[in-house]
Amino acid sequence: MKAIHISSEEHCEHGMDDEPVRSSEEPDVSKDEIFHLLQNERRRMVLQYLRGTDGPVRMRDVAEQVAAWEHDTTVEELTSKQRQRVYIPLYQSHLSKLDEAGVIDYQQDRGIVERKPLADQIDKYLELEPEADSADETSADDGAWGDYYIGATVVGYAVLIGAVMELPFVSLVSGIGLSALILFLFTVLTISWNIN
């Protein structure tokens, strides 16, 4: 069972028996709310960072990583100005919005952020890792189809050169017949490519 971080104040106010009930009563987030949360790139980056964590993390660590991603650099190479430009909006606005939606637990006074189970619903809209995988698959598929089109082009030129040189098999077919044959070859390739 996943451990849930509870501050000492929450522990005194609520009994431990309340935790399973609260987590089972987590509300579903509507698509409109999800899209509103994800419309901001920094909030998406926060969720991306928290996706790889287990348990509470320091808000400062989240802000530094988001700043590093924004500036396409490492955390170590960030300037204090770059850190501050990301830290302040996260501190004042973005993390609070994610907390209010129930996606994260943001304890602003302690500087702690933790992913909540409700964030799993939002992961499918982020498609962080699957998108990278599908992009690789798509480029590989496009490369294979490119080879098919090159092959079809070579066959088309071979048939046309054969017709010009009046080779026995090709010379039996008229110019319109050859054009139709080559067009048919490319049509079949295009339809097959769109189906896959």
Side-chain angles (χ1 to χ4, degrees):
M1 183 171 190
K2 186 177 177 185
I4 299 175
H5 176 75
I6 302 171
S7 68
S8 58
E9 294 86 12
E10 289 175 342
H11 185 39
C12 294
E13 292 174 9
H14 302 291
M16 289 304 287
D17 295 336
D18 292 344
E19 278 304 313
V21 174
R22 273 192 3 207
S23 63
S24 66
E25 291 179 1
E26 289 285 348
D28 286 341
V29 180
S30 72
K31 284 186 180 180
D32 288 340
E33 291 173 306
I34 290 172
F35 293 143
H36 176 71
L37 288 173
L38 298 180
Q39 74 181 4
N40 183 277
E41 185 179 23
R42 283 186 178 155
R43 289 196 289 264
R44 291 192 304 268
M45 288 181 178
V46 166
L47 293 173
Q48 179 181 354
Y49 178 82
L50 292 176
R51 188 178 195 187
T53 63
D54 189 25
V57 294
R58 295 182 313 170
M59 186 267 178
R60 189 180 101 194
D61 294 338
V62 176
E64 286 178 341
Q65 185 57 62
V66 169
W69 284 335
E70 279 188 13
H71 294 92
D72 197 26
T73 187
T74 63
V75 172
E76 294 78 23
E77 294 176 0
L78 285 172
T79 66
S80 62
K81 194 172 197 175
Q82 290 171 329
R83 292 172 205 263
Q84 188 177 17
R85 284 185 178 165
V86 173
Y87 185 92
I88 291 172
L90 287 180
Y91 178 83
Q92 293 178 343
S93 173
H94 298 304
L95 294 176
S96 297
K97 286 186 180 185
L98 291 170
D99 181 61
E100 289 167 10
V103 177
I104 65 168
D105 180 23
Y106 174 43
Q107 298 175 25
Q108 189 175 34
D109 57 336
R110 297 179 66 202
I112 295 176
V113 180
E114 184 175 13
R115 177 185 167 92
K116 283 185 155 181
L118 194 56
D120 295 339
Q121 288 184 23
I122 294 179
D123 282 347
K124 63 184 173 187
Y125 293 96
L126 289 174
E127 294 185 30
L128 301 172
E129 293 166 12
E131 182 178 284
D133 294 343
S134 65
D136 293 342
E137 290 170 9
T138 302
S139 62
D141 289 345
D142 288 347
W145 282 105
D147 292 343
Y148 292 139
Y149 277 102
I150 290 171
T153 303
V154 169
V155 169
Y157 276 112
V159 169
L160 286 176
I161 291 172
V164 169
M165 295 176 64
E166 296 181 357
L167 293 177
F169 173 72
V170 183
S171 63
L172 297 175
V173 183
S174 69
I176 293 177
L178 287 175
S179 299
L181 182 67
I182 293 170
L183 182 61
F184 177 74
L185 177 66
F186 279 97
T187 302
V188 168
L189 276 175
T190 303
I191 290 171
S192 298
W193 180 70
N194 285 324
I195 289 173
N196 292 328

